[in-house]
């Protein structure tokens, strides 16, 4: 009895220490803090730590890729080079930029500015996408979805890819600078953000999705800045970019769940396979954000309050799909949220542009009789 009593403080100390050790090793910190092992994957628990170092590519994959690259034609076809720019994504980026240009309530829309803006944005986007593909051929060739891209399928040698990406980047940002310096800097910064931060971050941290969403949100700011002469202080600029930022979470988190196995196999650090519950929660959270963001367009005077009827219907449709996905974050619900997001964005843009044009027309009608009466 005495014996066991004399031991109890020791025992409790020991068990407290071991439970702390267990807690830390299971949840946050590697067993040897601040040692070299801190940076290695084996001491991390994926479920609790969003950071892990990129894994080195499989030698078999490297061999396969090398053979493909060696058999690539000496001079690539222009169509293969264009594919490097992800044309469908680039068209979407240009459309969001042009829509934002049309929404900005500033006088003196100019055809010349619109042409430079469109070409500048398109070339910047082509450049960013080409850099992205030049940086990831070892990963692209491991996924069914990306295996057919020009570099992994052996249609373009990486050196031509780099050359193409740099040339389009220089041309695109120069054209954007011709519109005005704000547009130029935004275009250039977006290329750097996509290739220099987002692309490497995909293999390091689940935070990549937030950075990727900033990349998607900057083109509307370019459109706005082109119309306003570089002024981004109007609340409408914020709401246009915020809509694009928020949209990417239901869209991308759902997509990422659909291809989660591929992402996991290649070592892409995606919330869809590392933290599926968080992934679905974030998709729902940003879908809900559409309600206040849409009202932001009314509040900032871009559209009339009647806009909220159509916008709320579109937003509630997306929210319903995001809620289903949140309750059951499985592939079937992810697919249905993904398609809902594909429908939702054009719907919101068409509604916003339509309501804006209607408002401009109504406002001009209200002003015109005043002008004629003052002329009399
Ligand atoms: C003006 C300008 C520079 C615009 C850039 C627009 C742009 C490139 C947007 C991309 C948005 C994005 C995060 C896509 C996913 O890339 P991903 O690498 O995850 O896609 P992947 O897996 O298909 O390669």
């Amino acid at each position: 009895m005495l014996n066991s009593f004399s031991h109890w403080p020791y025992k409790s100390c020991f068990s407290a220490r071991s439970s702390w050790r267990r807690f830390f090793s299971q949840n946050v910190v590697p067993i040897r803090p601040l040692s070299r092992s801190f940076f290695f994957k084996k001491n991390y628990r994926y479920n609790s730590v969003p950071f892990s170092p990129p894994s080195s590519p499989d030698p078999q994959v490297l061999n396969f890729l090398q053979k493909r690259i060696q058999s690539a034609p000496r001079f690539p076809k222009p169509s293969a080079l264009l594919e490097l720019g992800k044309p469908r994504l680039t068209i979407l980026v240009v459309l969001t930029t042009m829509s934002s240009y049309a929404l900005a309530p500033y006088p003196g829309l100019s055809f010349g500015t619109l042409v430079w803006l469109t070409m500048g944005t398109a070339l910047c986007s082509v450049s960013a996408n080409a850099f992205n593909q030049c940086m990831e051929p070892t990963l692209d060739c491991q996924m069914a979805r990306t295996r057919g891209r020009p570099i992994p399928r052996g249609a373009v040698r990486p050196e031509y890819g780099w050359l193409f990406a740099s040339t389009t980047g220089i041309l695109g940002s120069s054209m954007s600078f011709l519109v005005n310096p704000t547009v130029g800097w935004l275009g250039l910064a977006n290329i750097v953000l996509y290739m220099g931060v987002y692309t490497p971050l995909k293999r390091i941290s689940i935070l990549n999705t937030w950075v990727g969403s900033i990349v998607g949100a900057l083109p509307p700011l370019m459109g706005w800045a082109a119309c306003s002469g570089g002024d981004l202080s109007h609340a409408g600029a914020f709401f246009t970019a915020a809509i694009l930022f928020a949209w990417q979470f239901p869209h991308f988190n759902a997509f990422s769940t659909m291809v989660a196995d591929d992402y996991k196999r290649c070592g892409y650090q995606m919330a869809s396979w590392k933290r599926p519950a968080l992934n679905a929660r974030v998709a729902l959270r940003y879908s809900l954000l559409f309600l206040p963001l849409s009202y932001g367009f009314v509040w900032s005077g871009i559209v009339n309050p009647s806009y909220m009827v159509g916008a709320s219907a579109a937003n509630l449709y997306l929210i319903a799909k995001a809620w289903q996905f949140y309750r059951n974050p499985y592939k079937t619900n992810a697919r249905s949220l993904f398609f809902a997001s594909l429908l939702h964005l054009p719907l919101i843009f068409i509604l916003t542009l339509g309501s804006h044009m209607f408002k401009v027309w109504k406002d001009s009608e209200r002003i015109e009789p005043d002008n004629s009466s003052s002329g009399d």
Side-chain angles (χ1 to χ4, degrees), residues 263-330:
Y263 276 152
K264 185 174 181 180
R265 194 162 37 78
C266 293
Y268 281 124
Q269 307 300 310
M270 297 298 173
S272 58
W273 65 268
K274 291 181 84 173
R275 301 181 66 175
L278 173 77
N279 186 59
R281 200 160 61 240
V282 168
L284 176 63
R285 216 178 268 163
Y286 284 93
S287 303
L288 285 167
L289 200 64
F290 270 103
L291 293 173
L293 286 181
S294 298
Y295 184 71
F297 281 133
V298 179
W299 179 76
S300 54
I302 305 286
V303 293
N304 284 328
S306 57
Y307 161 79
M308 282 310 285
V309 178
S312 303
N315 293 338
L316 288 174
Y317 167 63
L318 185 77
I319 291 167
K321 295 291 176 186
W323 174 254
Q324 269 179 4
F325 179 55
Y326 168 71
R327 295 302 301 266
N328 290 303
Y330 302 128

Side-chain angles (χ1 to χ4, degrees), residues 86 89 93 120-122 124-125 128-129 132-133 136 140 143 145-146 149 186-187 190-191 194 198-199 202 211-213 215-216 219 222 248 252 255 263 268 270:
K86 300 186 192 164
L89 175 62
V93 167
T121 313
C124 284
S125 170
N129 286 313
N132 172 270
Q133 290 194 43
E136 300 186 319
D140 280 350
M143 295 193 283
R145 181 177 67 86
T146 50
R149 285 183 175 170
L186 284 172
N190 219 12
I191 297 175
Y194 190 57
Y198 172 75
T199 304
K202 276 165 77 181
V211 177
S213 298
V215 175
M222 292 169 74
Q248 283 171 93
F252 185 76
F255 175 75
Y263 276 152
Y268 281 124
M270 297 298 173

Side-chain angles (χ1 to χ4, degrees), residues 129-366:
N129 286 313
F131 275 128
N132 172 270
Q133 290 194 43
C134 291
M135 290 167 77
E136 300 186 319
T138 47
L139 300 159
D140 280 350
C141 77
Q142 294 179 66
M143 295 193 283
R145 181 177 67 86
T146 50
R147 199 169 288 151
R149 285 183 175 170
I151 298 177
R153 78 162 188 267
V156 176
R157 293 184 183 191
E159 55 271 28
Y160 281 108
W162 287 104
L163 189 67
F164 177 71
S166 314
T167 314
T168 47
I170 293 168
L171 282 174
S173 39
S174 309
M175 286 177 189
S176 306
F177 271 106
L178 283 181
V179 178
N180 67 49
T182 312
V183 179
W185 285 118
L186 284 172
L188 197 60
N190 219 12
I191 297 175
V192 173
L193 193 63
Y194 190 57
M195 78 167 272
V197 183
Y198 172 75
T199 304
L201 202 59
K202 276 165 77 181
R203 298 178 63 205
I204 299 173
S205 162
I206 63 165
L207 296 178
N208 67 68
T209 309
W210 281 263
V211 177
S213 298
I214 299 175
V215 175
L218 289 188
L221 281 189
M222 292 169 74
W224 194 280
C227 189
S228 67
D231 176 18
L232 293 174
S233 60
H234 193 289
F238 167 79
F239 288 114
T240 322
I243 289 270
L244 254 294
F245 178 79
W247 176 80
Q248 283 171 93
F249 291 93
H251 176 75
F252 185 76
N253 290 15
F255 175 75
S256 176
T257 301
M258 287 157 61
V259 295
D261 304 330
D262 271 353
Y263 276 152
K264 185 174 181 180
R265 194 162 37 78
C266 293
Y268 281 124
Q269 307 300 310
M270 297 298 173
S272 58
W273 65 268
K274 291 181 84 173
R275 301 181 66 175
L278 173 77
N279 186 59
R281 200 160 61 240
V282 168
L284 176 63
R285 216 178 268 163
Y286 284 93
S287 303
L288 285 167
L289 200 64
F290 270 103
L291 293 173
L293 286 181
S294 298
Y295 184 71
F297 281 133
V298 179
W299 179 76
S300 54
I302 305 286
V303 293
N304 284 328
S306 57
Y307 161 79
M308 282 310 285
V309 178
S312 303
N315 293 338
L316 288 174
Y317 167 63
L318 185 77
I319 291 167
K321 295 291 176 186
W323 174 254
Q324 269 179 4
F325 179 55
Y326 168 71
R327 295 302 301 266
N328 290 303
Y330 302 128
K331 285 192 183 167
T332 32
N333 286 341
R335 194 167 297 119
S336 114
L337 175 59
F338 176 72
F339 286 112
S341 74
L342 286 182
L343 205 64
H344 176 262
L345 189 69
L347 214 60
I348 283 291
F349 266 94
I350 290 170
L351 268 170
T352 315
L353 277 171
S355 300
H356 177 65
M357 276 149 70
F358 183 71
K359 183 175 189 298
V360 171
W361 174 63
K362 276 279 172 204
D363 290 352
S364 67
E365 251 192 354
R366 220 172 292 137

